[in-house]
Amino acid sequence: MTTARRTLRRSPRRRDRRGRGLRGLMYPATTPASRTRAEKFDAMVLEALEPIELRWGSELADLDLAVDEVPEVDETSPDDVVWGQGVLADVGVPLAQLVPAGVDPEGLPSRARIVIYRRPLEARARGGADLSDLLHEVLVEQVAEYLNIEPDAVDGDEGR
């Protein structure tokens, strides 16, 4: 004999359990609200680089730009960590690094690149405008080091 109670128990579980609604995207993929924090940060990096690239585009043709979450650390002791040449650090935490052109571990030639570290920069900024200014300053310093000139010459008359 089958009762209503027994039939309900045998039915498959629904996706809408606990009354939270159907799972899926909250926003359409075409809206800015659907972008992840990393995608928003990448867009801010490109926006901060744009005025520098407009002024120094031909000199920066052989320079790549990369974004990493955090810097790689081989040593875990704070007393033993020594950052190499080309690292821009704030209170011992690297914000960016200029990696010179050379040869990669497979023996292939590699281009020079600036590596921006997202999490340390986001931790130091108070908001979107502050992060944008900090990104611009970091990029100016790294491009100046790459071009072997003063940071004021890279920034020019922009007044930032």
Side-chain angles (χ1 to χ4, degrees):
M1 178 170 177
T2 306
T3 63
R5 185 178 201 152
R6 194 178 253 176
T7 320
L8 287 177
R9 286 186 183 165
R10 288 186 184 164
S11 66
R13 290 189 178 214
R14 297 178 189 221
R15 193 167 172 105
D16 183 21
R17 59 180 202 211
R18 297 188 187 97
R20 293 186 187 138
L22 294 176
R23 296 179 183 172
L25 297 175
M26 289 186 70
Y27 302 104
T30 57
T31 61
S34 68
R35 295 191 306 181
T36 64
R37 285 176 54 191
E39 290 171 339
K40 291 176 187 175
F41 185 83
D42 292 346
M44 288 182 81
V45 169
L46 293 176
E47 185 179 316
L49 182 66
E50 188 176 352
I52 299 169
E53 203 170 43
L54 286 174
R55 184 165 184 193
W56 299 94
S58 59
E59 287 87 353
L60 302 178
D62 295 330
L63 180 68
D64 291 335
L65 185 64
V67 175
D68 277 349
E69 289 285 314
V70 293
E72 285 186 28
V73 179
D74 293 333
E75 301 289 328
T76 56
S77 169
D79 298 332
D80 296 337
V81 175
V82 177
W83 302 110
Q85 192 173 14
V87 173
L88 176 63
D90 177 36
V91 192
V93 178
L95 304 177
Q97 180 178 8
L98 175 65
V99 180
V103 179
D104 67 1
E106 286 107 29
L108 300 171
S110 65
R111 295 168 38 125
R113 73 180 173 277
I114 295 174
V115 181
I116 304 290
Y117 299 118
R118 180 173 75 88
R119 299 292 294 256
L121 285 166
E122 286 179 338
R124 279 156 180 73
R126 293 189 184 120
D130 193 30
L131 180 58
S132 179
D133 289 343
L134 183 59
L135 275 171
H136 182 76
E137 290 175 22
V138 166
L139 285 170
V140 164
E141 297 231 2
Q142 291 297 299
V143 168
E145 187 172 337
Y146 173 73
L147 297 175
N148 201 19
I149 58 176
E150 291 294 317
D152 293 336
V154 172
D155 206 9
D157 300 323
E158 291 189 37
R160 277 195 170 210

